[in-house]
Short mmCIF file of all heavy atoms in Angstrom, two decimals:
data_model
loop_
_atom_site.label_atom_id
_atom_site.label_comp_id
_atom_site.label_asym_id
_atom_site.label_seq_id
_atom_site.Cartn_x
_atom_site.Cartn_y
_atom_site.Cartn_z
N LEU A 1347 8.57 -41.32 -40.49
CA LEU A 1347 9.18 -41.28 -41.83
C LEU A 1347 8.91 -42.61 -42.55
O LEU A 1347 8.97 -43.67 -41.91
CB LEU A 1347 10.68 -41.02 -41.73
CG LEU A 1347 11.07 -39.63 -41.22
CD1 LEU A 1347 12.52 -39.62 -40.90
CD2 LEU A 1347 10.77 -38.58 -42.27
N PRO A 1348 8.65 -42.57 -43.80
CA PRO A 1348 8.29 -43.84 -44.52
C PRO A 1348 9.52 -44.68 -44.82
O PRO A 1348 10.60 -44.20 -45.08
CB PRO A 1348 7.66 -43.31 -45.82
CG PRO A 1348 8.34 -42.01 -46.06
CD PRO A 1348 8.55 -41.42 -44.69
N ASN A 1349 9.28 -46.00 -44.80
CA ASN A 1349 10.27 -46.94 -45.32
C ASN A 1349 9.99 -47.06 -46.80
O ASN A 1349 9.12 -47.81 -47.23
CB ASN A 1349 10.15 -48.28 -44.61
CG ASN A 1349 11.15 -49.32 -45.06
OD1 ASN A 1349 11.67 -49.24 -46.18
ND2 ASN A 1349 11.46 -50.23 -44.20
N GLN A 1350 10.77 -46.32 -47.60
CA GLN A 1350 10.49 -46.27 -49.03
C GLN A 1350 10.65 -47.61 -49.73
O GLN A 1350 9.93 -47.92 -50.67
CB GLN A 1350 11.38 -45.22 -49.67
CG GLN A 1350 11.09 -43.80 -49.19
CD GLN A 1350 11.90 -42.74 -49.91
OE1 GLN A 1350 13.06 -42.97 -50.30
NE2 GLN A 1350 11.30 -41.58 -50.13
N THR A 1351 11.59 -48.42 -49.24
CA THR A 1351 11.77 -49.76 -49.84
C THR A 1351 10.52 -50.59 -49.66
O THR A 1351 10.05 -51.29 -50.57
CB THR A 1351 13.00 -50.45 -49.24
OG1 THR A 1351 14.15 -49.63 -49.45
CG2 THR A 1351 13.23 -51.81 -49.84
N LYS A 1352 9.97 -50.55 -48.43
CA LYS A 1352 8.75 -51.33 -48.14
C LYS A 1352 7.57 -50.83 -48.95
O LYS A 1352 6.75 -51.61 -49.44
CB LYS A 1352 8.46 -51.26 -46.63
CG LYS A 1352 7.21 -52.01 -46.21
CD LYS A 1352 7.37 -53.51 -46.34
CE LYS A 1352 6.32 -54.31 -45.56
NZ LYS A 1352 4.96 -54.00 -45.90
N ILE A 1353 7.46 -49.51 -49.12
CA ILE A 1353 6.37 -48.93 -49.89
C ILE A 1353 6.42 -49.43 -51.34
O ILE A 1353 5.44 -49.88 -51.89
CB ILE A 1353 6.43 -47.39 -49.87
CG1 ILE A 1353 6.05 -46.89 -48.47
CG2 ILE A 1353 5.50 -46.79 -50.92
CD1 ILE A 1353 6.25 -45.41 -48.26
N LEU A 1354 7.62 -49.42 -51.96
CA LEU A 1354 7.72 -49.89 -53.34
C LEU A 1354 7.45 -51.37 -53.45
O LEU A 1354 6.82 -51.85 -54.39
CB LEU A 1354 9.10 -49.55 -53.91
CG LEU A 1354 9.40 -48.08 -54.19
CD1 LEU A 1354 10.71 -47.93 -54.99
CD2 LEU A 1354 8.25 -47.41 -54.96
N SER A 1355 7.97 -52.12 -52.45
CA SER A 1355 7.74 -53.56 -52.44
C SER A 1355 6.23 -53.87 -52.38
O SER A 1355 5.74 -54.72 -53.12
CB SER A 1355 8.46 -54.21 -51.24
OG SER A 1355 8.27 -55.61 -51.25
N ASP A 1356 5.51 -53.15 -51.54
CA ASP A 1356 4.05 -53.36 -51.41
C ASP A 1356 3.33 -52.96 -52.69
O ASP A 1356 2.42 -53.65 -53.13
CB ASP A 1356 3.50 -52.57 -50.22
CG ASP A 1356 3.94 -53.16 -48.89
OD1 ASP A 1356 4.43 -54.32 -48.89
OD2 ASP A 1356 3.82 -52.48 -47.88
N LEU A 1357 3.71 -51.79 -53.27
CA LEU A 1357 3.08 -51.34 -54.50
C LEU A 1357 3.26 -52.32 -55.64
O LEU A 1357 2.39 -52.50 -56.50
CB LEU A 1357 3.55 -49.96 -54.88
CG LEU A 1357 3.05 -48.80 -54.04
CD1 LEU A 1357 3.77 -47.50 -54.44
CD2 LEU A 1357 1.52 -48.60 -54.21
N CYS A 1358 4.42 -52.94 -55.68
CA CYS A 1358 4.73 -53.93 -56.72
C CYS A 1358 4.29 -55.34 -56.36
O CYS A 1358 4.46 -56.22 -57.18
CB CYS A 1358 6.23 -53.92 -57.01
SG CYS A 1358 6.89 -52.39 -57.66
N THR A 1359 3.71 -55.51 -55.19
CA THR A 1359 3.29 -56.80 -54.64
C THR A 1359 4.43 -57.83 -54.71
O THR A 1359 4.23 -58.99 -55.09
CB THR A 1359 2.04 -57.33 -55.36
OG1 THR A 1359 2.31 -57.59 -56.74
CG2 THR A 1359 0.86 -56.38 -55.22
N PHE A 1360 5.64 -57.38 -54.34
CA PHE A 1360 6.78 -58.27 -54.25
C PHE A 1360 6.74 -58.95 -52.89
O PHE A 1360 6.22 -58.43 -51.93
CB PHE A 1360 8.08 -57.49 -54.42
CG PHE A 1360 8.45 -57.24 -55.87
CD1 PHE A 1360 7.51 -57.26 -56.87
CD2 PHE A 1360 9.78 -56.94 -56.18
CE1 PHE A 1360 7.87 -56.99 -58.20
CE2 PHE A 1360 10.14 -56.71 -57.52
CZ PHE A 1360 9.19 -56.73 -58.52
N GLN A 1361 7.36 -60.13 -52.81
CA GLN A 1361 7.28 -60.96 -51.62
C GLN A 1361 8.21 -60.47 -50.52
O GLN A 1361 7.88 -60.54 -49.32
CB GLN A 1361 7.60 -62.41 -51.96
CG GLN A 1361 7.49 -63.37 -50.74
CD GLN A 1361 7.54 -64.81 -51.20
OE1 GLN A 1361 7.50 -65.12 -52.37
NE2 GLN A 1361 7.67 -65.70 -50.23
N SER A 1362 9.42 -59.96 -50.89
CA SER A 1362 10.42 -59.70 -49.89
C SER A 1362 11.08 -58.35 -50.15
O SER A 1362 11.17 -57.89 -51.31
CB SER A 1362 11.54 -60.77 -49.93
OG SER A 1362 10.98 -62.05 -49.71
N CYS A 1363 11.62 -57.72 -49.09
CA CYS A 1363 12.36 -56.49 -49.25
C CYS A 1363 13.35 -56.33 -48.10
O CYS A 1363 13.20 -56.95 -47.06
CB CYS A 1363 11.43 -55.29 -49.33
SG CYS A 1363 10.56 -54.88 -47.80
N TYR A 1364 14.38 -55.51 -48.36
CA TYR A 1364 15.37 -55.22 -47.32
C TYR A 1364 15.95 -53.86 -47.58
O TYR A 1364 16.23 -53.48 -48.72
CB TYR A 1364 16.50 -56.28 -47.39
CG TYR A 1364 17.58 -56.08 -46.34
CD1 TYR A 1364 17.35 -56.43 -45.03
CD2 TYR A 1364 18.80 -55.51 -46.71
CE1 TYR A 1364 18.38 -56.22 -44.04
CE2 TYR A 1364 19.82 -55.31 -45.76
CZ TYR A 1364 19.57 -55.67 -44.45
OH TYR A 1364 20.54 -55.46 -43.51
N PHE A 1365 16.12 -53.08 -46.50
CA PHE A 1365 16.76 -51.76 -46.57
C PHE A 1365 18.12 -51.83 -45.91
O PHE A 1365 18.24 -52.36 -44.77
CB PHE A 1365 15.88 -50.70 -45.94
CG PHE A 1365 16.59 -49.38 -45.76
CD1 PHE A 1365 16.80 -48.53 -46.85
CD2 PHE A 1365 17.02 -48.97 -44.52
CE1 PHE A 1365 17.46 -47.33 -46.70
CE2 PHE A 1365 17.70 -47.75 -44.35
CZ PHE A 1365 17.89 -46.92 -45.46
N ALA A 1366 19.15 -51.29 -46.53
CA ALA A 1366 20.49 -51.26 -45.99
C ALA A 1366 20.88 -49.80 -45.70
O ALA A 1366 21.06 -49.01 -46.62
CB ALA A 1366 21.48 -51.89 -46.95
N LYS A 1367 21.05 -49.48 -44.40
CA LYS A 1367 21.37 -48.10 -44.00
C LYS A 1367 22.84 -47.83 -44.15
O LYS A 1367 23.68 -48.57 -43.66
CB LYS A 1367 20.95 -47.91 -42.52
CG LYS A 1367 21.39 -46.61 -41.93
CD LYS A 1367 21.07 -46.59 -40.44
CE LYS A 1367 21.74 -45.38 -39.77
NZ LYS A 1367 21.48 -45.40 -38.29
N ALA A 1368 23.16 -46.75 -44.85
CA ALA A 1368 24.54 -46.31 -44.98
C ALA A 1368 24.79 -45.15 -44.01
O ALA A 1368 25.84 -45.15 -43.32
CB ALA A 1368 24.83 -45.87 -46.39
N ILE A 1369 23.91 -44.19 -43.98
CA ILE A 1369 24.08 -43.02 -43.09
C ILE A 1369 22.72 -42.59 -42.54
O ILE A 1369 21.65 -43.05 -43.00
CB ILE A 1369 24.68 -41.82 -43.85
CG1 ILE A 1369 23.82 -41.44 -45.06
CG2 ILE A 1369 26.10 -42.10 -44.27
CD1 ILE A 1369 24.27 -40.17 -45.77
N CYS A 1370 22.73 -41.76 -41.52
CA CYS A 1370 21.54 -41.11 -41.01
C CYS A 1370 21.67 -39.61 -41.20
O CYS A 1370 22.64 -39.00 -40.71
CB CYS A 1370 21.37 -41.43 -39.52
SG CYS A 1370 19.78 -40.85 -38.85
N LEU A 1371 20.75 -39.04 -41.92
CA LEU A 1371 20.75 -37.60 -42.21
C LEU A 1371 19.88 -36.91 -41.19
O LEU A 1371 18.66 -37.22 -41.11
CB LEU A 1371 20.28 -37.34 -43.61
CG LEU A 1371 21.12 -37.93 -44.74
CD1 LEU A 1371 20.44 -37.75 -46.10
CD2 LEU A 1371 22.50 -37.32 -44.75
N PRO A 1372 20.38 -35.98 -40.38
CA PRO A 1372 19.59 -35.35 -39.35
C PRO A 1372 18.29 -34.71 -39.91
O PRO A 1372 18.32 -33.97 -40.88
CB PRO A 1372 20.53 -34.25 -38.81
CG PRO A 1372 21.90 -34.78 -39.13
CD PRO A 1372 21.75 -35.51 -40.40
N GLY A 1373 17.20 -35.13 -39.31
CA GLY A 1373 15.91 -34.60 -39.73
C GLY A 1373 15.34 -35.18 -40.96
O GLY A 1373 14.22 -34.89 -41.37
N GLU A 1374 16.09 -36.10 -41.60
CA GLU A 1374 15.67 -36.68 -42.87
C GLU A 1374 15.54 -38.18 -42.84
O GLU A 1374 14.82 -38.77 -43.63
CB GLU A 1374 16.60 -36.24 -43.99
CG GLU A 1374 16.60 -34.74 -44.24
CD GLU A 1374 17.48 -34.37 -45.42
OE1 GLU A 1374 17.95 -35.25 -46.12
OE2 GLU A 1374 17.68 -33.16 -45.64
N GLY A 1375 16.26 -38.88 -41.93
CA GLY A 1375 16.13 -40.30 -41.79
C GLY A 1375 17.35 -41.07 -42.30
O GLY A 1375 18.33 -40.52 -42.75
N SER A 1376 17.25 -42.39 -42.13
CA SER A 1376 18.30 -43.30 -42.62
C SER A 1376 18.28 -43.32 -44.13
O SER A 1376 17.22 -43.25 -44.78
CB SER A 1376 18.05 -44.71 -42.08
OG SER A 1376 18.10 -44.72 -40.68
N TYR A 1377 19.48 -43.44 -44.71
CA TYR A 1377 19.63 -43.32 -46.17
C TYR A 1377 20.59 -44.43 -46.65
O TYR A 1377 21.60 -44.68 -46.02
CB TYR A 1377 20.25 -41.93 -46.45
CG TYR A 1377 20.04 -41.42 -47.88
CD1 TYR A 1377 18.78 -41.24 -48.43
CD2 TYR A 1377 21.15 -41.04 -48.63
CE1 TYR A 1377 18.59 -40.71 -49.68
CE2 TYR A 1377 20.97 -40.53 -49.93
CZ TYR A 1377 19.70 -40.36 -50.42
OH TYR A 1377 19.53 -39.82 -51.68
N GLY A 1378 20.21 -45.07 -47.72
CA GLY A 1378 21.07 -46.13 -48.21
C GLY A 1378 20.48 -46.84 -49.42
O GLY A 1378 19.84 -46.24 -50.27
N ASN A 1379 20.71 -48.17 -49.47
CA ASN A 1379 20.28 -48.97 -50.61
C ASN A 1379 19.08 -49.82 -50.19
O ASN A 1379 18.87 -50.19 -49.02
CB ASN A 1379 21.39 -49.90 -51.06
CG ASN A 1379 22.61 -49.14 -51.53
OD1 ASN A 1379 22.47 -48.16 -52.25
ND2 ASN A 1379 23.80 -49.55 -51.09
N GLY A 1380 18.27 -50.18 -51.18
CA GLY A 1380 17.14 -51.06 -50.94
C GLY A 1380 17.11 -52.24 -51.93
O GLY A 1380 17.81 -52.19 -52.99
N PHE A 1381 16.37 -53.23 -51.61
CA PHE A 1381 16.22 -54.37 -52.51
C PHE A 1381 14.81 -54.94 -52.34
O PHE A 1381 14.34 -55.14 -51.20
CB PHE A 1381 17.26 -55.42 -52.16
CG PHE A 1381 17.17 -56.70 -53.00
CD1 PHE A 1381 17.38 -56.67 -54.38
CD2 PHE A 1381 16.85 -57.93 -52.41
CE1 PHE A 1381 17.29 -57.84 -55.14
CE2 PHE A 1381 16.73 -59.07 -53.16
CZ PHE A 1381 16.96 -59.03 -54.54
N ILE A 1382 14.12 -55.18 -53.48
CA ILE A 1382 12.83 -55.80 -53.46
C ILE A 1382 12.85 -57.01 -54.39
O ILE A 1382 13.54 -56.98 -55.38
CB ILE A 1382 11.71 -54.80 -53.83
CG1 ILE A 1382 11.88 -54.27 -55.25
CG2 ILE A 1382 11.65 -53.64 -52.86
CD1 ILE A 1382 10.72 -53.36 -55.72
N SER A 1383 12.09 -58.04 -54.02
CA SER A 1383 12.23 -59.29 -54.73
C SER A 1383 10.93 -60.10 -54.72
O SER A 1383 10.26 -60.19 -53.68
CB SER A 1383 13.35 -60.12 -54.06
OG SER A 1383 13.47 -61.39 -54.66
N LYS A 1384 10.62 -60.68 -55.86
CA LYS A 1384 9.57 -61.69 -55.94
C LYS A 1384 10.01 -63.00 -55.34
O LYS A 1384 9.20 -63.86 -54.95
CB LYS A 1384 9.10 -61.91 -57.37
CG LYS A 1384 8.40 -60.73 -58.00
CD LYS A 1384 7.97 -61.06 -59.42
CE LYS A 1384 7.26 -59.87 -60.09
NZ LYS A 1384 6.91 -60.18 -61.49
N ILE A 1385 11.33 -63.21 -55.31
CA ILE A 1385 11.92 -64.43 -54.78
C ILE A 1385 12.21 -64.22 -53.29
O ILE A 1385 12.71 -63.18 -52.89
CB ILE A 1385 13.24 -64.78 -55.51
CG1 ILE A 1385 12.97 -64.89 -57.03
CG2 ILE A 1385 13.86 -66.04 -55.00
CD1 ILE A 1385 14.22 -64.90 -57.87
N PRO A 1386 11.86 -65.22 -52.44
CA PRO A 1386 12.10 -65.03 -50.99
C PRO A 1386 13.56 -64.73 -50.64
O PRO A 1386 14.45 -65.30 -51.23
CB PRO A 1386 11.66 -66.37 -50.40
CG PRO A 1386 10.69 -66.92 -51.37
CD PRO A 1386 11.19 -66.49 -52.72
#
């Protein structure tokens, strides 16, 4: 399953990213908030 936060960070050529898991949906993956940043 893709890390969608990392995918968007790479497409935007941002320097840093972090995914925060809130829940795990069976068969669908971890679900939560993401953050991407040009600033470290």
